[in-house]
Amino acid sequence: MISGNVILKIEDLKKWFPVRKGLFTSLFSKRQEFVRAVDGVSFEIFEGEVFGLVGESGCGKTTVGKTILRVVEPTSGRVYFKGIDIFKLSKGEMRKLRRKMQLIYQDPFESLNPRMTVYNLVGEPLSVNKLVNSVDEKMKKVVKALEDVELKPPEVFLDKFPHELSGGQRQRVAIARALVLQPEFIVADEPVSMLDVSIRAEILEIMLKLKEHYGISYLFITHDLALARHICDRIAIMYLGKIMELGDVEDVMRNPLHPYTKALLDAVPDIIGGKIKVSIKGFVPPSPINIPSGCRFHPRCLKVMDLCRREEPQLLKVGSGHYVACHLYN
């Protein structure tokens, strides 16, 4: 398990989105409701680590990533980047710090401006942050970033537009755009889920190579446990805005403790046996507006107890770096 200096520390992070009400609803109900997308999340990321955040769609993974970078503002909580509380920074201070904290989006076609060439897309962060003093210096840094993501020869791609590139090439451009500022921390939000299977391994290898070469730390957001096992050092399993289990990736995979983690692993098809084990009730999680009492997983859990319906379990340490929020282990 990776340990050492903490580059990012998240404490009790919450992001609640107010629910917009229609005219009829607002007349008869004065209670303001919220979508509790992130509801008290805490974890640490070490320097040079790939920390995976895993869970099904709608659990709040992406909101965690965007809130950490203040792409969306938090409801409450604290995030420390190398000891700096970023939620207390002004917009100008945050803009300077964001050079060291970058985001790779899930869909490169949506995140890249279709009217800009590769040169302008990758070079824009340098100009915006005033990190180059000449056109030649800017060109050298853009070319170096393209070479780092193995778009070679880079001269072939400089004048191309996003629609002229393949999906894998577009995602490499997106990575190069984040890399050109020489960040220390990157939020990678499902960076290969939109790509063909044959291309995914190449992109992941590039990301791991960049991590080793530049000492980059990643928050790797995914719903794919097999992918997380391949690239992550530690993982946290998230469900309905909360972390259910956290630990070393091999420890969690080989010895899953939370029923939800076990259900996710059971859902991975057995290629040899050809069987899929169903160990969860229903296919749709409860609404994040009306969170169940007690453990929020209890309506779908096959091992539910009366205590689960009454009290919410806390994330407790049950082994060396292994944490679980489940009454079975109290």
Side-chain angles (χ1 to χ4, degrees), residues 239-253:
Y239 180 80
L240 212 60
K242 283 277 191 181
I243 290 179
M244 301 286 106
E245 189 166 355
L246 185 155
D248 179 80
V249 65
E250 286 299 323
D251 191 15
V252 173
M253 293 292 184

PDB file of all heavy atoms in Angstrom, residues 239-253:
ATOM      1  N   TYR A 239     -21.518   4.791  -2.503  1.00  0.00           N
ATOM      2  CA  TYR A 239     -22.920   4.472  -2.747  1.00  0.00           C
ATOM      3  C   TYR A 239     -23.792   5.589  -2.205  1.00  0.00           C
ATOM      4  O   TYR A 239     -23.713   5.928  -1.013  1.00  0.00           O
ATOM      5  CB  TYR A 239     -23.297   3.143  -2.084  1.00  0.00           C
ATOM      6  CG  TYR A 239     -24.746   2.735  -2.285  1.00  0.00           C
ATOM      7  CD1 TYR A 239     -25.149   2.146  -3.476  1.00  0.00           C
ATOM      8  CD2 TYR A 239     -25.698   2.953  -1.299  1.00  0.00           C
ATOM      9  CE1 TYR A 239     -26.479   1.769  -3.682  1.00  0.00           C
ATOM     10  CE2 TYR A 239     -27.025   2.590  -1.491  1.00  0.00           C
ATOM     11  CZ  TYR A 239     -27.405   1.997  -2.687  1.00  0.00           C
ATOM     12  OH  TYR A 239     -28.724   1.641  -2.886  1.00  0.00           O
ATOM     13  N   LEU A 240     -24.590   6.193  -3.059  1.00  0.00           N
ATOM     14  CA  LEU A 240     -25.582   7.194  -2.669  1.00  0.00           C
ATOM     15  C   LEU A 240     -24.968   8.308  -1.813  1.00  0.00           C
ATOM     16  O   LEU A 240     -25.486   8.675  -0.770  1.00  0.00           O
ATOM     17  CB  LEU A 240     -26.740   6.512  -1.927  1.00  0.00           C
ATOM     18  CG  LEU A 240     -28.138   7.142  -2.104  1.00  0.00           C
ATOM     19  CD1 LEU A 240     -28.545   7.126  -3.570  1.00  0.00           C
ATOM     20  CD2 LEU A 240     -29.165   6.416  -1.262  1.00  0.00           C
ATOM     21  N   GLY A 241     -23.822   8.825  -2.282  1.00  0.00           N
ATOM     22  CA  GLY A 241     -23.199   9.962  -1.626  1.00  0.00           C
ATOM     23  C   GLY A 241     -22.273   9.649  -0.475  1.00  0.00           C
ATOM     24  O   GLY A 241     -21.687  10.552   0.114  1.00  0.00           O
ATOM     25  N   LYS A 242     -22.129   8.361  -0.128  1.00  0.00           N
ATOM     26  CA  LYS A 242     -21.295   7.957   1.010  1.00  0.00           C
ATOM     27  C   LYS A 242     -20.252   6.927   0.578  1.00  0.00           C
ATOM     28  O   LYS A 242     -20.470   6.160  -0.373  1.00  0.00           O
ATOM     29  CB  LYS A 242     -22.157   7.334   2.106  1.00  0.00           C
ATOM     30  CG  LYS A 242     -22.945   8.323   2.948  1.00  0.00           C
ATOM     31  CD  LYS A 242     -22.096   8.907   4.053  1.00  0.00           C
ATOM     32  CE  LYS A 242     -22.949   9.679   5.053  1.00  0.00           C
ATOM     33  NZ  LYS A 242     -22.126  10.267   6.135  1.00  0.00           N
ATOM     34  N   ILE A 243     -19.145   6.865   1.305  1.00  0.00           N
ATOM     35  CA  ILE A 243     -18.152   5.818   1.092  1.00  0.00           C
ATOM     36  C   ILE A 243     -18.512   4.617   1.963  1.00  0.00           C
ATOM     37  O   ILE A 243     -18.648   4.736   3.180  1.00  0.00           O
ATOM     38  CB  ILE A 243     -16.738   6.320   1.408  1.00  0.00           C
ATOM     39  CG1 ILE A 243     -16.303   7.319   0.338  1.00  0.00           C
ATOM     40  CG2 ILE A 243     -15.750   5.159   1.488  1.00  0.00           C
ATOM     41  CD1 ILE A 243     -14.934   7.906   0.548  1.00  0.00           C
ATOM     42  N   MET A 244     -18.668   3.464   1.319  1.00  0.00           N
ATOM     43  CA  MET A 244     -19.033   2.237   2.010  1.00  0.00           C
ATOM     44  C   MET A 244     -17.818   1.415   2.443  1.00  0.00           C
ATOM     45  O   MET A 244     -17.850   0.749   3.469  1.00  0.00           O
ATOM     46  CB  MET A 244     -19.918   1.365   1.101  1.00  0.00           C
ATOM     47  CG  MET A 244     -21.212   2.026   0.643  1.00  0.00           C
ATOM     48  SD  MET A 244     -22.453   2.140   1.966  1.00  0.00           S
ATOM     49  CE  MET A 244     -22.382   3.881   2.368  1.00  0.00           C
ATOM     50  N   GLU A 245     -16.751   1.480   1.643  1.00  0.00           N
ATOM     51  CA  GLU A 245     -15.556   0.689   1.940  1.00  0.00           C
ATOM     52  C   GLU A 245     -14.353   1.368   1.310  1.00  0.00           C
ATOM     53  O   GLU A 245     -14.456   1.979   0.242  1.00  0.00           O
ATOM     54  CB  GLU A 245     -15.710  -0.744   1.425  1.00  0.00           C
ATOM     55  CG  GLU A 245     -14.613  -1.691   1.875  1.00  0.00           C
ATOM     56  CD  GLU A 245     -14.943  -3.163   1.650  1.00  0.00           C
ATOM     57  OE1 GLU A 245     -16.077  -3.447   1.230  1.00  0.00           O
ATOM     58  OE2 GLU A 245     -14.067  -4.011   1.903  1.00  0.00           O
ATOM     59  N   LEU A 246     -13.210   1.258   1.975  1.00  0.00           N
ATOM     60  CA  LEU A 246     -11.994   1.920   1.499  1.00  0.00           C
ATOM     61  C   LEU A 246     -10.794   1.086   1.915  1.00  0.00           C
ATOM     62  O   LEU A 246     -10.742   0.564   3.033  1.00  0.00           O
ATOM     63  CB  LEU A 246     -11.903   3.328   2.091  1.00  0.00           C
ATOM     64  CG  LEU A 246     -10.784   4.270   1.648  1.00  0.00           C
ATOM     65  CD1 LEU A 246     -11.219   5.723   1.845  1.00  0.00           C
ATOM     66  CD2 LEU A 246      -9.477   4.027   2.404  1.00  0.00           C
ATOM     67  N   GLY A 247      -9.839   0.960   0.999  1.00  0.00           N
ATOM     68  CA  GLY A 247      -8.637   0.217   1.360  1.00  0.00           C
ATOM     69  C   GLY A 247      -7.735  -0.038   0.179  1.00  0.00           C
ATOM     70  O   GLY A 247      -7.991   0.432  -0.944  1.00  0.00           O
ATOM     71  N   ASP A 248      -6.667  -0.775   0.428  1.00  0.00           N
ATOM     72  CA  ASP A 248      -5.763  -1.198  -0.633  1.00  0.00           C
ATOM     73  C   ASP A 248      -6.549  -1.976  -1.681  1.00  0.00           C
ATOM     74  O   ASP A 248      -7.406  -2.808  -1.343  1.00  0.00           O
ATOM     75  CB  ASP A 248      -4.658  -2.072  -0.047  1.00  0.00           C
ATOM     76  CG  ASP A 248      -3.706  -2.569  -1.105  1.00  0.00           C
ATOM     77  OD1 ASP A 248      -2.817  -1.810  -1.513  1.00  0.00           O
ATOM     78  OD2 ASP A 248      -3.872  -3.731  -1.540  1.00  0.00           O
ATOM     79  N   VAL A 249      -6.278  -1.722  -2.963  1.00  0.00           N
ATOM     80  CA  VAL A 249      -7.115  -2.280  -4.025  1.00  0.00           C
ATOM     81  C   VAL A 249      -7.148  -3.808  -3.988  1.00  0.00           C
ATOM     82  O   VAL A 249      -8.215  -4.422  -4.141  1.00  0.00           O
ATOM     83  CB  VAL A 249      -6.651  -1.760  -5.411  1.00  0.00           C
ATOM     84  CG1 VAL A 249      -5.252  -2.231  -5.766  1.00  0.00           C
ATOM     85  CG2 VAL A 249      -7.652  -2.152  -6.490  1.00  0.00           C
ATOM     86  N   GLU A 250      -6.005  -4.450  -3.748  1.00  0.00           N
ATOM     87  CA  GLU A 250      -5.989  -5.914  -3.716  1.00  0.00           C
ATOM     88  C   GLU A 250      -6.697  -6.449  -2.482  1.00  0.00           C
ATOM     89  O   GLU A 250      -7.365  -7.481  -2.537  1.00  0.00           O
ATOM     90  CB  GLU A 250      -4.545  -6.419  -3.773  1.00  0.00           C
ATOM     91  CG  GLU A 250      -3.898  -6.295  -5.135  1.00  0.00           C
ATOM     92  CD  GLU A 250      -4.651  -7.105  -6.204  1.00  0.00           C
ATOM     93  OE1 GLU A 250      -5.140  -8.206  -5.891  1.00  0.00           O
ATOM     94  OE2 GLU A 250      -4.747  -6.610  -7.341  1.00  0.00           O
ATOM     95  N   ASP A 251      -6.573  -5.746  -1.375  1.00  0.00           N
ATOM     96  CA  ASP A 251      -7.243  -6.166  -0.150  1.00  0.00           C
ATOM     97  C   ASP A 251      -8.755  -6.107  -0.320  1.00  0.00           C
ATOM     98  O   ASP A 251      -9.479  -7.030   0.073  1.00  0.00           O
ATOM     99  CB  ASP A 251      -6.792  -5.267   1.005  1.00  0.00           C
ATOM    100  CG  ASP A 251      -7.231  -5.802   2.362  1.00  0.00           C
ATOM    101  OD1 ASP A 251      -7.613  -6.982   2.439  1.00  0.00           O
ATOM    102  OD2 ASP A 251      -7.191  -5.040   3.350  1.00  0.00           O
ATOM    103  N   VAL A 252      -9.238  -5.015  -0.912  1.00  0.00           N
ATOM    104  CA  VAL A 252     -10.683  -4.868  -1.112  1.00  0.00           C
ATOM    105  C   VAL A 252     -11.197  -5.887  -2.119  1.00  0.00           C
ATOM    106  O   VAL A 252     -12.285  -6.451  -1.954  1.00  0.00           O
ATOM    107  CB  VAL A 252     -11.014  -3.433  -1.575  1.00  0.00           C
ATOM    108  CG1 VAL A 252     -12.491  -3.317  -1.962  1.00  0.00           C
ATOM    109  CG2 VAL A 252     -10.691  -2.427  -0.476  1.00  0.00           C
ATOM    110  N   MET A 253     -10.430  -6.147  -3.170  1.00  0.00           N
ATOM    111  CA  MET A 253     -10.867  -7.088  -4.199  1.00  0.00           C
ATOM    112  C   MET A 253     -10.867  -8.531  -3.699  1.00  0.00           C
ATOM    113  O   MET A 253     -11.779  -9.300  -3.997  1.00  0.00           O
ATOM    114  CB  MET A 253      -9.954  -6.973  -5.430  1.00  0.00           C
ATOM    115  CG  MET A 253     -10.069  -5.667  -6.174  1.00  0.00           C
ATOM    116  SD  MET A 253     -11.668  -5.495  -6.975  1.00  0.00           S
ATOM    117  CE  MET A 253     -11.425  -3.945  -7.842  1.00  0.00           C
TER     118      MET A 253
END
